[in-house]
Amino acid sequence: MATQLYQHDSFLNHETPVGHPERPDRIRALKDVLADPHFDALVKVDAPMGDIETVLLAHPESYLNMIRDAIPDAGISRIDNDTVASPGSWEAALRGFGAANAAVDAVMTGEAHNAFCAIRPPGHHAERTTAMGFCLFNNVVIATRHAQKAHGAERVAIVDFDVHHGNGCQDILWNDPTALYCSTHQMPLYPGTGSLNETGDHDNIVNAPLTAGDGGAEFREAMETRIFPAISNFQPDLIMISAGFDAHHRDPLAQINLQGEDFKWVTEKLLELADTHASGRVVSLLEGGYDLMGLAESAARHIDELMNAST
């Protein structure tokens, strides 16, 4: 079984204002680095349009309708100061969670060993009823609930190493004992959540905040002392990764100093945990990462490790 890569040109059509960090060039940077012959073994899959009903696994119908109504016929509409929509955003959003759900289907049925979804807009800031932080739908939570509903996964762990805390995942999963949400992130930083004492109603939220200036040593310690033990105790059937690469030292939106090697290391460790507890099942979704060189380097190291696990 190989690693599947979900991609689609529609992700270029979610337009943002000039100077906005979450821009189509992020997808172009990934395409460029993955064009290297080293990545020829990836099974490339066009991201399908998602079943709109699966949005309701994470968001109410009123929220779905609000996002649909926010899509403009022309130009760019603002949902909040950071979060925008353009005419191409609806298809991009549907193909975003469509890719995540299809990747879950492939991994849970044994069609693929693992998968990476090169999607945008990102999703982990989208709360149950609030779009924010560049995010429209919470792709990783939708896919988590899809794995449970469609494939009978009893326990799903989400590991989020984006430099910004996934407040949306925490909000939606706060009282869900069947899902574990684990996050490393810089604090204080947007969105202001993610402290150690935010643990969920069932101790199913595990936050490991980092401090501005921290690097690989502190990141690895947070993973080894908080995140990895929580995953082992939870014994998930599937590991989902919110793969944000904005903790890279080049990124302009934060002050954590990770290198490409750190993303390689954490991916390797998560794959080992998946082998132990989840029959190797891993689905990874692109979240943040706003320096194009840092994004390309880090994502390439991450995907390379996914491919190594598939051989």
Side-chain angles (χ1 to χ4, degrees), residues 2-302:
T3 296
Q4 290 189 349
L5 170 68
Y6 287 79
Q7 55 188 358
H8 200 273
D9 285 345
S10 66
F11 299 129
L12 297 169
N13 298 331
H14 169 60
E15 298 177 8
T16 55
V18 174
H20 196 286
E22 207 295 286
R23 59 207 190 276
D25 282 346
R26 300 178 64 231
I27 295 297
R28 296 187 181 99
L30 286 179
K31 282 191 170 186
D32 288 347
V33 74
L34 296 178
D36 188 283
H38 176 76
F39 295 101
D40 285 350
L42 283 169
V43 176
K44 298 178 176 64
V45 182
D46 279 345
M49 294 285 281
D51 179 355
I52 200 70
E53 292 297 313
T54 62
V55 171
L56 305 182
L57 298 173
H59 304 282
E61 187 171 6
S62 58
Y63 179 84
L64 169 63
N65 293 334
M66 183 273 288
I67 295 296
R68 183 162 26 208
D69 292 345
I71 306 299
D73 293 328
I76 293 174
S77 66
R78 287 194 177 271
I79 298 173
D80 69 9
N81 288 337
D82 300 316
T83 310
V84 301
S86 69
S89 298
W90 184 249
E91 181 180 354
L94 265 62
R95 290 194 188 275
F97 67 78
N101 288 344
V104 164
D105 291 340
V107 169
M108 293 300 291
T109 60
E111 177 187 330
H113 188 71
N114 54 49
F116 181 80
C117 301
I119 61 178
R120 62 180 289 273
H124 73 152
H125 292 308
E127 296 183 342
R128 186 173 179 273
T129 59
T130 305
M132 58 188 290
F134 315 157
C135 302
L136 301 181
F137 296 124
N138 199 308
N139 304 308
V140 72
V141 173
I142 292 170
T144 292
R145 294 258 171 89
H146 174 69
Q148 294 173 322
K149 182 177 181 180
H151 300 283
E154 295 181 3
R155 295 175 305 281
V156 179
I158 299 171
V159 181
D160 186 342
F161 50 71
D162 191 284
V163 82
H164 302 96
H165 182 245
N167 59 294
C169 299
Q170 178 170 291
D171 172 65
I172 299 169
L173 299 174
W174 186 265
N175 62 355
D176 185 350
T178 70
L180 177 72
Y181 176 70
C182 303
S183 176
T184 56
H185 47 274
Q186 182 177 327
M187 195 172 185
L189 191 68
Y190 182 92
T193 53
S195 65
L196 289 170
N197 62 3
E198 296 168 18
T199 58
D201 285 345
H202 305 277
D203 291 328
N204 60 310
I205 306 295
V206 181
N207 290 312
L210 304 171
T211 301
D214 282 352
E218 293 83 3
F219 172 73
R220 295 184 189 211
E221 181 182 14
M223 284 286 177
E224 290 179 326
T225 60
R226 290 188 59 79
I227 307 299
F228 298 159
I231 295 170
S232 293
N233 290 337
F234 189 66
Q235 298 185 358
D237 303 310
L238 168 69
I239 293 179
M240 303 288 299
I241 301 176
S242 276
F245 300 105
D246 40 6
H248 190 277
H249 69 95
R250 292 179 55 94
D251 201 273
L253 298 190
Q255 297 82 39
I256 300 297
N257 296 311
L258 300 192
Q259 309 283 337
E261 181 65 25
D262 296 307
F263 294 103
K264 173 185 183 298
W265 172 85
V266 71
T267 307
E268 181 181 18
K269 294 298 184 182
L270 291 174
L271 288 164
E272 290 174 0
L273 285 165
D275 283 341
T276 300
H277 301 292
S279 300
R281 293 185 287 257
V282 171
V283 173
S284 179
L285 279 60
L286 178 65
E287 298 282 2
Y290 304 105
D291 177 84
L292 299 183
M293 186 179 297
L295 169 64
E297 175 199 1
S298 305
R301 302 297 291 272
H302 176 65

